[in-house]
Amino acid sequence: MQKIAFINGRFFHSDESHISSFDRAVHFGDAVYETIYCYHQHLLCLNDHLIRLKNSLDIVGIPEPKYLTAFENIAHHLMQKNTMSGEGYLFVCISRGVTQVRSLLTSGEPTMIVQAFPYIFQHASFKKATFIYDERWQRPWIKSTSLLTNTLAAHAAHNNNCDLAILCDKNNFITEGTHYNVFLVTKENSIITTPNNGSILPGCTRAMILSIAQSQNIPCEVRPIHQNDISDAAAIFGSSSLMHIAPIRQINDIFFEENPIVQKLQALYSQIVTQY
C-alpha cells in the first residue's frame, strides 16, 4: 500500500513529506499528540481522543489548527491509502509551529501531522515488568511528545531483561507505565486502577475498561496502588490504545497465572472493537 501522510492541509507520499527543521517540535518537543486505533475504518474512542487532544492544546496554549475539524475525513483517507483492511492506528501530532528564531517564546501557525499505520487487532501480553522510579515532569496528564524520561525508563527495563517498566513515585506507589495505565485484579475478583490525581495520563482505553467492568457488575476501585499490593494480586495488566488489555506475567520475582477476569474483559473489549 502507499505510504501517505497529512501535513498542514496536504497529503504527501512519506518519502516527500517533511516538517521544517525550525519546527518547535524539533527544537523543544513543543507538541502534543494522540494515538487512535482504527478497526475497519471505525476510529475507537474518537471523541474521547479528540477531547483529550483539545484539552492538551488548551493547557499548553497551542491554537487549534483549522484542519482538526476535518480530522475524521483525513483519518479515513489515510487508513484507506496505507492499510489493506482499514485496520491500524493513527498518529496525530500538533506543534506550536515554525519559528526562525530559537526562542522559547516565539511561535508560528501550528503544525499538524497525521500518519496511519497498519496494525492487526490483538491484545498484547508481556512476560516480565519491573519497577522504575517515576522521573517524568509534573504534568503527565498532558499528552506531550516530550517522552525522553519515558524512553529512558523503557530502556532501563530492557537492560534489566524486562519487557516493561512500571513507574512508581518516591513512596513506592504506582503511577502508570511508560505508555500505559495499570490495573490489578484482586483475589476477590475486583479490579483496581490508579486514580486520576495528576500523576497519570487518563487513558481512553482505561475509561473504556472501567465502563465495561461496571456494566458487567465487576467491582471496580480507583485508589493508590503500592508496590506491596502486587504480592497479593491475582493478576496485573496494562491498557493503552495499541496494547488494548495486556496481561503481565511477572513483576520482579512475582508470577501471575492466566486470570478469568482479565480474559472476560478482553473478550468484551474485543466484541466492542470488532462489531464494526
Side-chain angles (χ1 to χ4, degrees):
M1 301 296 288
Q2 301 179 64
K3 294 181 180 179
I4 305 297
F6 174 92
I7 303 176
N8 283 353
R10 294 179 59 193
F11 292 97
F12 296 87
H13 190 275
S14 58
D15 293 336
E16 301 172 338
S17 64
H18 70 278
I19 63 171
S20 170
S21 60
F22 291 98
D23 196 280
R24 290 177 63 88
V26 177
H27 282 257
F28 304 112
D30 188 6
V32 298
Y33 77 102
E34 286 289 328
T35 302
I36 305 171
Y37 190 75
C38 185
Y39 185 83
H40 293 183
Q41 294 291 353
H42 175 72
L43 300 167
L44 188 65
C45 300
L46 175 61
N47 288 337
D48 292 339
H49 282 288
L50 290 180
I51 288 171
R52 189 170 65 182
L53 178 62
K54 291 176 182 180
N55 284 342
S56 293
L57 289 169
D58 185 57
I59 291 168
V60 302
I62 296 177
E64 184 177 317
K66 59 185 177 182
Y67 312 108
L68 193 57
T69 58
F71 176 77
E72 194 164 359
N73 290 334
I74 294 167
H76 288 314
H77 180 76
L78 291 174
M79 291 300 297
Q80 184 181 41
K81 291 293 185 181
N82 293 342
T83 69
M84 293 292 292
S85 63
E87 187 173 352
Y89 70 92
L90 291 137
F91 172 78
V92 52
C93 174
I94 301 172
S95 82
R96 203 177 301 271
V98 176
T99 175
Q100 297 298 321
V101 179
R102 194 177 188 278
S103 166
L104 292 175
L105 296 179
T106 60
S107 62
E109 292 295 318
T111 298
M112 178 171 161
I113 303 167
V114 188
Q115 296 172 280
F117 305 90
Y119 194 85
I120 300 300
F121 173 71
Q122 61 180 356
H123 294 284
S125 180
F126 298 97
K127 291 183 179 179
K128 188 177 182 181
T130 189
F131 296 121
I132 300 289
Y133 177 61
D134 191 347
E135 297 182 299
R136 298 171 303 162
W137 71 320
Q138 297 304 303
R139 299 181 184 181
W141 62 88
I142 301 173
K143 200 168 175 66
S144 166
T145 56
S146 303
L147 296 175
L148 179 59
T149 50
N150 302 61
T151 300
L152 292 174
H155 279 277
H158 178 75
N159 292 338
N160 199 30
N161 296 316
C162 293
D163 301 312
L164 294 174
I166 297 176
L167 305 178
C168 297
D169 65 18
K170 62 183 180 180
N171 295 313
N172 294 325
F173 282 96
I174 292 171
T175 53
E176 57 186 342
T178 51
H179 58 292
Y180 59 95
N181 293 125
V182 175
F183 285 81
L184 293 189
V185 180
T186 71
K187 292 176 181 176
E188 293 73 35
N189 293 327
S190 63
I191 65 172
I192 305 171
T193 192
T194 52
N196 179 17
N197 58 3
S199 63
I200 70 167
L201 176 73
C204 299
T205 305
R206 171 183 177 273
M208 186 175 169
I209 292 168
L210 289 172
S211 177
I212 292 170
Q214 290 166 359
S215 73
Q216 298 296 309
N217 295 317
I218 299 172
C220 303
E221 192 174 355
V222 178
R223 65 164 175 82
I225 301 172
H226 196 273
Q227 285 186 20
N228 293 339
D229 294 333
I230 299 295
S231 59
D232 293 324
I236 182 169
F237 63 91
S239 70
S240 76
S241 295
L242 299 185
M243 289 170 54
H244 305 295
I245 298 176
I248 300 168
R249 300 302 181 198
Q250 181 183 355
I251 298 178
N252 295 340
D253 58 352
I254 301 172
F255 293 84
F256 301 97
E257 301 294 333
E258 291 189 2
N259 181 268
I261 294 295
V262 177
Q263 292 172 329
K264 182 175 183 178
L265 291 171
Q266 286 179 321
L268 293 167
Y269 180 97
S270 297
Q271 287 177 13
I272 294 171
V273 173
T274 60
Q275 67 180 315
Y276 299 95

